[in-house]
Each structure stands twice: as structure tokens, then as C-alpha cells.
Amino acid sequence: MSALDRIGQKLLFTLDPETAHGLSIAALRCGLPVAGRAPRDNRLKVNVCGIDFPNPLGMAAGYDKNAEVPDALLGLGFGFAEVGTVTPLPQAGNPKPRIFRLTKDEAVINRLGFNNEGHDTAEKRLAARKGRAGVVGVNIGANKDSADRIGDYERGVIRFAPYATYLTINISSPNTPGLRNMQAREQLGELLSRVMAARARASAKPPIFLKIAPDLVEAELRDIAAEVADKQIDGIIVSNTTIARPALRSAGLASETGGLSGKPLFERSTIVLAKMRKLLGPDRAIIGVGGVDSAETAVEKMRAGADLVQLYTGMIYAGPSLPGRIVAGMLRFAEKERLTSLRELRDISLDQWASKPLS
């Protein structure tokens, strides 16, 4: 971490996490912080689902919930940015406090509950940037009190297909009661059928990804893989936050309800990623997320089967220069290993990770 990042982190950590998050969004809107540009090199480029990514590192959904700063995030060095989760109607989310820093573990627990300004606001912002360069995905969800949650996803697909480079169907947040039940095979089959039908009716046809939880057992992974293949979903994002509590040093906060993200999620999410790669085969796209905080962890996600990787919590602890540092580190790795493309890394450690138990 640079000296400037350390100073910025110290100041932000004097504030409660949600206030600090709001200030970081405001800073990006104003053109701050200024980070060194990530390197551009043909060895970093990845083509996934027909999309050309300048590098394989993305900002995960959850940071820019309302599509306020996707271009500023790309300016920090990310190869792509995913905005949302966006629901049809605005909603306040769960009562505060609802974000907790587990600093000893470089982790966060959140129980935000899809707080966002709704489709109308996000669409206006995305429409205003239409035509600009840069890969921007839109993560869509359902309102907590919706009478037809699948209908909410259909509306999201229709609404954002014209503006999104890709769409993510988020059914894996632990903070909306009952949402994760949509990962069960019967509900998932109906959801994916209706989502794909909605895309067929939309004015544009971006790739569709399904974001899943890390808290799944082998049989559930098999069911999800079967439905993804059957419904011709373009890819999977592995994974969202976990409701599990691996050994944590921040004992006073470990009992807070919500989803855990950050360094402790790396192992479990990478095992699930590798198992899903085995189930889906080599051609379906997978984005790996969970515990990415360095070039080494990003590279290991790719070795375990990921085409692309995302982070969010890692930047809370390492500062806004992290994406540029990771991309530069990935390029150094490619040079050291004499790779012509980072794509050559994929699946090198697949068998090793896939053989680990989901304990």
C-alpha cells in the first residue's frame, strides 16, 4: 500500500463503514483519488462471451450500487466494473448499523439488503454514458417485498439490456429473506427460462451471468450446473458472500449476521469455483470472486478455473491503487513465466482445488 493509500485508509477508518463508503463514491465522482494507470498489454487481454476485456480484473457488484461511478472505477485500472445490485423499486435495505469491518481478518460482514435507488435512477445514469468505451456489467435483483421476484428479474433484463455489456442475475445475497431459495433446481429452472425469454424480447442481447453463493453442497452445485447448461446461460459468478464463519480473529464481530467477504472467503470460494468449472466444462465463462487482494490471489483464481476475477473488500484494506498494482503484478507474472496470454493460466490448478472437500 502506498503512503497516500495508508493516510486515506486511516482517515476513512475513523468513520463508520457506510459513511466511509459514501465518501469514497463522492471522491470518485469528483475525480479523486488519482491512481497510477494500470498497464495495457496484449498478454492481459481476455475475450469472454464475445467481450474484449483489457485485463481480467473487475470491480464486483456491491460497491457502485447505483451506477454512479463506473467510468471512474475503470480509471483506477479495472478491466471492467459491475454496478448494482439494482432492484425495480428503490429500497432502503436493512436497519443500520449493517456493515462491520473485521480489520484483523481483512474482512467485512454486511447485511445491507439490496439498498439502492431503483431502476429509474440507474437507467438514467447508464443511458447518459451509452456509447462510451469500457466494459460495464449490471447486476440485477428483486425487491424484498415483491409479489413476483422472477418478474423483477425479467424487468431488470428488459430495462438494462440496452446499456449493459453483460447482465448478472443475483440470487445469492444472504440479506434478502428467501432469495437464496431461488438456487434450488425447480425455482432456478423457472427463473432462468423466464430470464432468457426476457432477453430474447429485449432490444439488445448482452451475455447473462448467474451469481451463486459459496454455501452450497455438491448436489446443489450439480443442479445449478445442469440448469445453467440446459438454459444456455452464458456464465457463472462464483461467489457471493458467505454466511459461514471460518476461524476469525475479530471475535467480537464474528457473531454479526450477514455475509462475510474478504480474505477468509478465498479458500471456500475458490473450491466452489473449481468444482463448478469441472461441472460446466471448459467453454462456459466463470468469474471468480472472493478474497482477491493481490496479483497472486487473482492468478490463483484463474489457475482454479476462472476466466475473469473480481474484488471489492480487498480495496477497502489496500486502497484505490490496488487494481493497478494487481494488474501490473499479473503482467510481471506473465513476463516471468513467458506467457503469451494470461489465458494460459486457466485450469492449471483445477484438479488440486476441485478435489478439496466443501467442509
Side-chain angles (χ1 to χ4, degrees):
M1 185 188 290
S2 70
L4 190 59
D5 282 350
R6 280 195 295 272
I7 293 167
Q9 184 199 68
K10 202 165 188 177
L11 290 171
L12 287 175
F13 275 30
T14 64
L15 306 170
D16 73 87
E18 200 153 353
T19 300
H21 174 262
L23 281 176
S24 72
I25 292 281
L28 284 169
R29 278 202 310 265
C30 295
L32 297 171
V34 178
R37 299 193 71 82
R40 287 184 171 266
D41 190 283
N42 286 337
R43 288 167 290 186
L44 296 169
K45 292 179 179 178
V46 186
N47 184 282
V48 178
C49 298
I51 303 166
D52 290 320
F53 294 80
N55 70 64
L57 181 69
M59 171 57 96
Y63 177 76
D64 188 10
K65 288 179 175 291
N66 298 303
E68 296 178 80
V69 290
D71 294 293
L73 289 169
L74 296 175
L76 295 179
F78 287 108
F80 62 109
E82 187 172 318
V83 303
T85 299
V86 189
T87 58
L89 300 176
Q91 60 182 26
N94 294 319
K96 298 177 182 179
R98 53 194 183 178
I99 308 178
F100 307 90
R101 297 188 195 101
L102 284 67
T103 53
K104 291 179 181 177
D105 301 284
E106 295 185 38
V108 166
I109 292 172
N110 93 81
R111 51 173 179 264
L112 287 162
F114 284 175
N115 57 309
N116 74 106
E117 297 172 6
H119 281 186
D120 288 350
T121 298
E123 183 184 23
K124 286 175 186 174
R125 289 177 177 144
L126 291 167
R129 75 167 301 277
K130 191 172 182 181
R132 292 183 201 168
V135 178
V136 176
V138 179
N139 183 301
I140 56 179
N143 282 113
K144 180 180 179 180
D145 57 358
S146 174
D148 180 9
R149 285 184 171 173
I150 293 179
D152 283 5
Y153 288 100
E154 290 175 303
R155 284 186 282 278
V157 169
I158 296 290
R159 199 78 179 265
F160 294 106
Y163 313 109
T165 314
Y166 68 89
L167 292 166
T168 297
I169 308 301
N170 185 359
I171 55 170
S172 50
S173 169
N175 301 316
T176 297
L179 188 75
R180 285 188 169 191
N181 295 340
M182 298 180 81
Q183 295 174 120
R185 186 159 189 177
E186 186 174 345
Q187 289 191 56
L188 181 62
E190 182 184 357
L191 168 70
L192 298 183
S193 291
R194 287 172 60 177
V195 159
M196 293 301 281
R199 186 180 70 169
R201 300 192 305 271
S203 60
K205 310 290 186 287
I208 290 181
F209 287 76
L210 177 71
K211 187 165 187 175
I212 65 171
D215 308 305
L216 296 163
V217 298
E218 302 261 7
E220 291 170 320
L221 292 176
R222 287 194 295 271
D223 285 347
I224 289 170
E227 289 299 327
V228 163
D230 181 65
K231 305 305 186 294
Q232 292 297 296
I233 300 300
D234 298 283
I236 291 274
I237 299 180
V238 184
S239 67
N240 213 315
T241 58
T242 180
I243 56 173
R245 295 293 181 266
L248 297 170
R249 292 186 291 166
S250 307
L253 294 172
S255 61
E256 292 289 349
T257 59
L260 174 74
S261 62
K263 200 178 279 283
L265 183 55
F266 180 81
E267 179 89 0
R268 173 81 184 202
S269 63
T270 309
I271 293 170
V272 175
L273 157 66
K275 290 181 182 294
M276 188 56 73
R277 171 58 72 201
K278 283 279 192 179
L279 290 165
L280 290 174
D283 299 328
R284 196 84 54 185
I286 298 181
I287 300 177
V289 55
V292 174
D293 59 3
S294 63
E296 291 73 23
T297 49
V299 162
E300 196 56 35
K301 288 281 187 187
M302 298 180 77
R303 284 171 162 162
D307 299 289
L308 303 162
V309 296
Q310 291 177 321
L311 64 81
Y312 173 5
T313 302
M315 204 163 78
I316 294 172
Y317 290 99
S321 65
L322 179 64
R325 296 202 309 270
I326 289 178
V327 175
M330 294 173 89
L331 181 57
R332 287 195 299 272
F333 183 87
E335 290 171 345
K336 179 183 175 184
E337 299 297 320
R338 297 182 180 179
L339 305 176
T340 59
S341 169
L342 287 176
R343 187 79 176 192
E344 295 169 39
L345 294 172
R346 214 197 75 181
D347 300 343
I348 288 175
S349 302
L350 176 59
D351 290 338
Q352 172 191 332
W353 281 100
S355 65
K356 294 186 178 186
L358 289 170
S359 54

